[in-house]
Amino acid sequence: PRRIILDCDPGHDDAIALLLAAGSPEIDLVAVTTVAGNQTLEKVTRNALAVGTIARIEDVPFAAGAERPLVREQVVAPEYHGESGLDGPELPAPTVALDARHAVDLIVETIMAAAPGEITLVPTGALTNLALAVRREPRIAERVREVVWMGGAAHGGNLSPVAEYNAAIDPEAVRIVLEAGWPVVMVGLDLTHQALADRSVLDAIAAVDGAPAAFTLELLEFFRGTYREQGFEWPPVHDVCAVAYVVDPGCMTVRSAPIAVELHGELTTGQTVVDLRHPAPASCVTSVALGLDAPRMWGHVVDALARLA
Ligand code: BDR
Ligand code: CA
């Protein structure tokens, strides 16, 4: 199995991404780290521990990281995720304990203790922790197998007309991560807007026994409501796609392309600028996910929930 660190800000889609990681035999979850984003660090960390409790994740450290972006003021997203960051289901009191280490220390220690090329980083929020980690220990850039990030977009945005939320809330961190030299797969809105939890998906999850599937259904019902107010009939379940890429890269088409991030635009700050004009140069280490086999991906989610039951 692929050894991953999931760096997240749960968040409905982060929570389901964590369940997919925990329930997939293709993945060995080695750590879960949290970063401020959808809600405050305190709230998203509590949410991560609650999801870990529902999934009965054992022997995996959970650690809290950055409580705000590198440079900018914090932006939270109650219009999508509610005041708790995970509104909808009732959350259990966590039985999973929080690791005393800072997430950045845990990320660095885990990567440096593993063999080169062994750890994959899967950030599903702002890239603050990853940027801090690679500044703290630059050698992690050549030891990580790849970074699979849910964020950005080649076309369009959600926080603004051209900027995706995870990119826009900490664009300076995006720049550091894109320029670190490690391979980065950007699983952005181009891909995740194809990952809709539609009626067929809800029905398939409803047919699975156990608390993790029931919890997922409640998350998706709440998420459907907030996305409806944003003009979507069915919610895109963004973060699940980053984990799904690690589980089964064949369910996506990914293209090598140079990616940069806008830091100074009057209207475009946080936009990820993806150069799709030409074939990428051989030296290019960034790539963008563009096409999704959605039924195949949701099949992995359903299988994972059944395994966790
Ligand atoms: C991203 O923003 C967050 O609200 C979601 O959890 C996801 O990571 C989508 O733009
Ligand atoms: Ca997220």
Side-chain angles (χ1 to χ4, degrees):
R2 293 271 301 267
R3 306 190 72 205
I4 74 163
I5 299 174
L6 182 66
D7 185 70
C8 57
D9 62 336
H12 295 68
D13 50 337
D14 302 82
I16 303 168
L18 176 52
L19 295 173
L20 175 60
S24 295
E26 296 85 354
I27 286 187
D28 177 8
L29 183 62
V30 296
V32 177
T33 52
T34 58
V35 61
N38 286 325
Q39 264 299 349
T40 61
L41 182 69
E42 193 190 341
K43 290 181 181 178
V44 300
T45 301
R46 183 207 52 203
N47 294 345
L49 295 174
V51 178
T53 301
I54 287 164
R56 283 180 282 151
I57 296 175
E58 281 163 10
D59 305 324
V60 176
F62 282 63
E67 63 185 11
R68 55 162 288 185
L70 294 181
V71 176
R72 296 168 198 256
E73 293 298 323
Q74 196 186 346
V75 177
V76 293
E79 65 280 22
Y80 289 99
H81 300 280
E83 277 310 315
S84 72
L86 207 53
D87 276 13
E90 200 175 315
L91 299 180
T95 57
V96 177
L98 188 63
D99 197 282
R101 286 169 286 183
H102 192 282
V104 171
D105 293 330
L106 178 59
I107 290 169
V108 168
E109 282 169 26
T110 305
I111 296 167
M112 295 310 288
E118 206 175 305
I119 302 291
T120 293
L121 292 172
V122 185
T124 61
L127 291 176
T128 322
N129 287 341
L130 268 66
L132 290 167
V134 75
R135 284 288 189 263
R136 164 84 190 269
E137 177 48 274
R139 289 177 296 170
I140 67 171
E142 60 216 33
R143 289 183 82 93
V144 160
R145 173 164 167 170
E146 60 183 349
V147 176
V148 181
W149 175 45
M150 190 285 125
H155 310 96
N158 54 9
L159 189 63
S160 85
V162 297
E164 182 280 331
Y165 180 82
N166 292 336
I169 62 174
D170 197 347
E172 286 77 15
V174 178
R175 172 162 291 184
I176 290 171
V177 169
L178 288 174
E179 294 182 354
W182 46 24
V184 178
V185 181
M186 189 176 93
V187 181
L189 299 178
D190 313 274
L191 188 294
T192 67
H193 281 176
Q194 301 167 54
L196 303 172
D198 62 15
R199 176 54 57 204
S200 69
V201 170
L202 298 178
D203 288 347
I205 293 171
V208 178
D209 287 333
F215 177 71
T216 301
L217 209 54
E218 288 181 275
L219 288 174
L220 290 174
E221 274 157 15
F222 181 88
F223 215 33
R224 184 183 180 197
T226 55
Y227 261 99
R228 267 206 159 142
E229 287 166 32
Q230 312 288 335
F232 284 76
E233 189 180 3
W234 305 102
V237 192
H238 311 276
D239 296 338
V240 168
C241 303
V243 173
Y245 177 76
V246 182
V247 170
D248 177 17
C251 70
M252 292 175 201
T253 52
V254 172
R255 181 171 158 189
S256 179
I259 306 173
V261 63
E262 177 61 74
L263 299 183
H264 304 295
E266 196 184 339
L267 303 171
T268 56
T269 296
Q271 179 176 13
T272 47
V273 179
V274 183
D275 191 351
L276 294 170
R277 294 170 301 168
H278 316 291
S283 59
C284 181
V285 294
T286 53
S287 55
V288 59
L290 294 171
L292 174 67
D293 182 340
R296 180 162 154 183
M297 189 197 78
W298 286 115
H300 295 304
V301 174
V302 168
D303 291 348
L305 293 172
R307 276 188 216 100
L308 291 173

